[in-house]
Amino acid sequence: MKHDDTLLHVRGTARYVRDIPVPQGTLYAAPVPSPIAHGKIKRLDTSAAAAHDGVVAVLTARDIPGQNQIGNIIQDEPLLAAGEVDYAGQPLALIVAESMAAARGARPLIEIEIESLPPTLDPRQAFARGEIIGVPRTFALGDVDQAWSRCHVVVNGRADSGGQEHVYLETQSALAVRQDHGGVKVYSATQSPTVVQRTIARVLGLAMHQVEVDVPRLGGAFGGKEDQATAWAALAALASFRLGRPVKLTLNRHEDVGWTGKRHPYSSDYKIGLTEDGKILAYEVTFYQNAGASADLSPAILERTLFHATNSYFIPHVRATAASCRTNLPPFTAFRGFGGPQAMFVLEAAITQAAAALHVPAAEIQRKNLLRQGDELPYGMGLETDSLVRSWDELDKRHDLKACRARVAAFNRSHALTKKGLAVMPVCFGISFTTTHLNQAVSLVHVYTDGSVGISTAAVEMGQGVHRKIRRVAARTLGIGLDRIRMESTNTSRVANTSPTAASSGADLNGQATRLACLQILERLRQAIAADRGCLVEQIHIDREEVLRGHERLDLSWEELIAWAYARRVPLSAYAGYATPGIHFDKVKEKGRPFAYHAVGTAVVEATVDGLRGVPRIDSVKIVHDVGQSLDPATDRGQIEGGLMQGIGWMTCEELVYSPEGKIQTDSLATYKVPDIGATPEVTVHFLEDAPQQVGILGAKTVGEPPLMYGIGAYFAILDALRAFRPELPLIIQAPMTAERTFRALRP
Ligand code: LUZ
Ligand code: MOS
């Protein structure tokens, strides 16, 4: 699979933040975590630690020159705890030493007395106590209350889904270097360079122009570095600012898993009503989001939960309510799908239960209620594409869903000790930041005098291939080869006011801006040539590094053209901005057109459960996905496969366990089980053909987050297999469906 950095990655020579050669005199910082989940700080004595060999300083909240505040959407999160601790792992102090070993070694010497308060871990309990972040929100369509009486079946239940650790390969890291103008330059492993810059400026009491943030690349992020790279960068910057020396801060895996936020666990109540022939008439759902101890991105994630409450289905009467509930766990944060998967899980549970009540396969109900082009979603936008229905039908055509079901049933009749199950999972995911103003990007393009091109954008390369896609856009726009083009690091001094590389929009937004910048340069070149040759600008084109007048090849290569243009004083750099057109959302009415378009597709998942050992296994996943005209098919395939596996992991084996005191028990990869190569099913991916796409970049649709949600099918495929063992088995709607859970389900 070709990625810009394939060779570097395979050889282990790609430089991440922690691989940057450190300047002379660099110090190392180790945060001191709160040992308990909730309490009042009575005493924090750092003197013994400060006197430890190699320790240069121990910093606490009192050492912060600006505001002790890193909250992004809501300012409710201190950088260093002061007065109270709200979760186990919350940074209390920062030990800065000549080596990382000395910094970590001094940790036990910190003397802390905390008066313990009872922790709240459960979102429903937090809700009952009024511990709500922001206000609960409701999206509605039609009149759900009067619709129930017209339903043939109404079922209701409760669905719970667990959190998920990001397991990015590169743990959180930052290197801060104080500058001679009094500011700091920070190398940060973040998806949001501007958020890091703004927050450091706030914490240090500096202007933003005194803070430069540079991101070379990330070793994965998945949302885990959208908001939660900030604290570590700010701590390193604080230490560098106070001590006047470079400071490096990296978390080891144990610290990272223990202290940082994860996907939000949700607990939800649902009620669904259908007509006799399986049309969904009404759906009511209440989501209790476990936000953890501070807001972080929770309000935005809550909003996306509401946007995706009806996933791929048209439901005429809907009421979806969501509340973000404050608990004493590390603040939960962005994770691929951003609250969407949690919503879709609940609706699939409701449909599965309704199907059982109607004695029809769930797939029949799913297909019958699929969103069609023009159907109105509860947030007021009509679906702009017919690709969803087409993806289902294409999947059916290629794999014959009825025949699959018959094959599974035949297998189950002839096997007593193992059973198979099947689930179809359609996905419809809105593309754009739901925070409308974030849907903007700028790109800075330099053409050097040798014809090589350097591009700076806000897009952070985290393995997803966004840099390659942007290079493709520039190559196609300029009519030159990919090898001439290089992506620079993401840097706030070269490209300011960057939106996070998130919401599956990195290639779309930064690709569009890059296209516009390239068009500016191209236009200048064409004008100069036309003037020189005495012809119309419209006649001049550049294709495959050659200049054409109409169909006539002028004897001028790209390199010659650029050298010539430079000598003619044609500016060879451009800076262009792009803002997604036509999107808006009214948060009072909860209606609008929040998304540029929807990413859609359908998957069918087949699972086998071993009835003796209780072990579930996902056998195969077949996917038809709409990527439009792919900018890079190999990358897109990789994203679909990777996203799928991450979704399967969330739904099946990845389980976070906390003690009653609110301390994480699954704080390493020995106890937190991610799917491995042995758990990988046979995956077939087909790109939906002839899918028109006007909005994405050069006819391509994004691919980042949506495929994760195909993994939800894994849960329901296992459930289907369990019910083949015991048809009377009550629905278990509590993800993940771990081996322990399937085992117990078969032995009540
Ligand atoms: N981040 C964000 C996201 O700030 N807003 C979003 O709408 C979003 N959606 C998906 C993933 N990250
Ligand atoms: Mo994200 S969940 O960082 O797009």
Short mmCIF file of all heavy atoms in Angstrom, two decimals, residues 191 222-224 226 334-338 501-504 705, ligand 2:
data_model
loop_
_atom_site.label_atom_id
_atom_site.label_comp_id
_atom_site.label_asym_id
_atom_site.label_seq_id
_atom_site.Cartn_x
_atom_site.Cartn_y
_atom_site.Cartn_z
N GLN A 191 -3.50 16.99 16.29
CA GLN A 191 -4.34 17.19 15.10
C GLN A 191 -4.76 18.66 14.98
O GLN A 191 -5.31 19.05 13.97
CB GLN A 191 -5.61 16.34 15.21
CG GLN A 191 -5.40 14.85 15.17
CD GLN A 191 -6.69 14.10 15.49
OE1 GLN A 191 -6.82 13.51 16.55
NE2 GLN A 191 -7.66 14.15 14.59
N PHE A 222 -6.68 9.26 15.42
CA PHE A 222 -8.05 8.74 15.49
C PHE A 222 -8.98 9.62 16.33
O PHE A 222 -9.99 9.14 16.85
CB PHE A 222 -8.06 7.30 16.03
CG PHE A 222 -7.07 6.40 15.35
CD1 PHE A 222 -5.98 5.89 16.04
CD2 PHE A 222 -7.20 6.09 14.00
CE1 PHE A 222 -5.04 5.08 15.41
CE2 PHE A 222 -6.27 5.28 13.36
CZ PHE A 222 -5.18 4.78 14.07
N GLY A 223 -8.62 10.89 16.50
CA GLY A 223 -9.41 11.79 17.35
C GLY A 223 -8.74 12.01 18.70
O GLY A 223 -9.00 12.99 19.37
N GLY A 224 -7.87 11.11 19.09
CA GLY A 224 -7.22 11.19 20.40
C GLY A 224 -6.24 12.34 20.53
O GLY A 224 -5.79 12.66 21.63
N GLU A 226 -7.06 15.31 18.81
CA GLU A 226 -7.79 16.48 18.34
C GLU A 226 -7.81 17.54 19.44
O GLU A 226 -7.60 18.71 19.20
CB GLU A 226 -9.21 16.12 17.91
CG GLU A 226 -9.95 17.31 17.30
CD GLU A 226 -11.32 16.98 16.71
OE1 GLU A 226 -11.61 15.81 16.46
OE2 GLU A 226 -12.11 17.93 16.50
N ALA A 334 -12.80 13.07 21.29
CA ALA A 334 -13.04 12.66 19.92
C ALA A 334 -12.47 11.27 19.66
O ALA A 334 -11.38 10.93 20.12
CB ALA A 334 -12.40 13.65 18.96
N PHE A 335 -13.22 10.46 18.95
CA PHE A 335 -12.71 9.19 18.44
C PHE A 335 -13.48 8.90 17.17
O PHE A 335 -14.72 8.87 17.19
CB PHE A 335 -12.90 8.07 19.47
CG PHE A 335 -12.11 6.81 19.16
CD1 PHE A 335 -11.39 6.16 20.16
CD2 PHE A 335 -12.05 6.28 17.88
CE1 PHE A 335 -10.64 5.02 19.89
CE2 PHE A 335 -11.31 5.15 17.60
CZ PHE A 335 -10.61 4.50 18.60
N ARG A 336 -12.73 8.69 16.10
CA ARG A 336 -13.29 8.32 14.80
C ARG A 336 -14.80 8.02 14.83
O ARG A 336 -15.22 7.02 15.41
CB ARG A 336 -12.52 7.11 14.28
CG ARG A 336 -12.56 6.91 12.78
CD ARG A 336 -11.63 5.78 12.42
NE ARG A 336 -11.37 5.73 10.99
CZ ARG A 336 -10.45 4.96 10.44
NH1 ARG A 336 -9.68 4.22 11.19
NH2 ARG A 336 -10.27 4.96 9.15
N GLY A 337 -15.55 8.91 14.24
CA GLY A 337 -17.01 8.79 14.25
C GLY A 337 -17.67 9.84 15.12
O GLY A 337 -18.80 10.22 14.90
N PHE A 338 -16.94 10.26 16.20
CA PHE A 338 -17.28 11.47 16.94
C PHE A 338 -18.72 11.46 17.45
O PHE A 338 -19.49 12.37 17.21
CB PHE A 338 -17.04 12.67 16.00
CG PHE A 338 -16.69 13.97 16.67
CD1 PHE A 338 -15.46 14.16 17.28
CD2 PHE A 338 -17.58 15.03 16.66
CE1 PHE A 338 -15.13 15.38 17.86
CE2 PHE A 338 -17.25 16.26 17.24
CZ PHE A 338 -16.03 16.44 17.84
N THR A 501 -7.28 18.73 11.89
CA THR A 501 -7.39 17.70 10.87
C THR A 501 -8.29 16.64 11.47
O THR A 501 -7.86 15.81 12.28
CB THR A 501 -6.02 17.15 10.48
OG1 THR A 501 -5.23 18.25 10.03
CG2 THR A 501 -6.13 16.11 9.38
N ALA A 502 -9.55 16.72 11.14
CA ALA A 502 -10.59 15.93 11.81
C ALA A 502 -11.85 15.96 10.96
O ALA A 502 -11.87 16.59 9.89
CB ALA A 502 -10.89 16.51 13.19
N ALA A 503 -12.87 15.28 11.46
CA ALA A 503 -14.18 15.27 10.81
C ALA A 503 -14.11 14.76 9.37
O ALA A 503 -14.93 15.14 8.53
CB ALA A 503 -14.82 16.66 10.86
N SER A 504 -13.13 13.91 9.09
CA SER A 504 -12.96 13.32 7.76
C SER A 504 -12.82 14.37 6.67
O SER A 504 -13.08 14.10 5.51
CB SER A 504 -14.15 12.40 7.40
OG SER A 504 -14.37 11.48 8.42
N GLU A 705 -13.66 8.57 8.54
CA GLU A 705 -14.35 7.97 9.67
C GLU A 705 -15.41 6.93 9.32
O GLU A 705 -15.56 5.93 10.03
CB GLU A 705 -15.02 9.08 10.50
CG GLU A 705 -14.06 10.06 11.09
CD GLU A 705 -14.78 11.25 11.71
OE1 GLU A 705 -15.19 12.15 10.97
OE2 GLU A 705 -14.95 11.25 12.93
MO1 MOS B 2 -11.77 13.15 14.57
S1 MOS B 2 -12.90 11.93 15.70
O1 MOS B 2 -10.42 13.69 15.20
O2 MOS B 2 -12.19 13.36 13.07
#
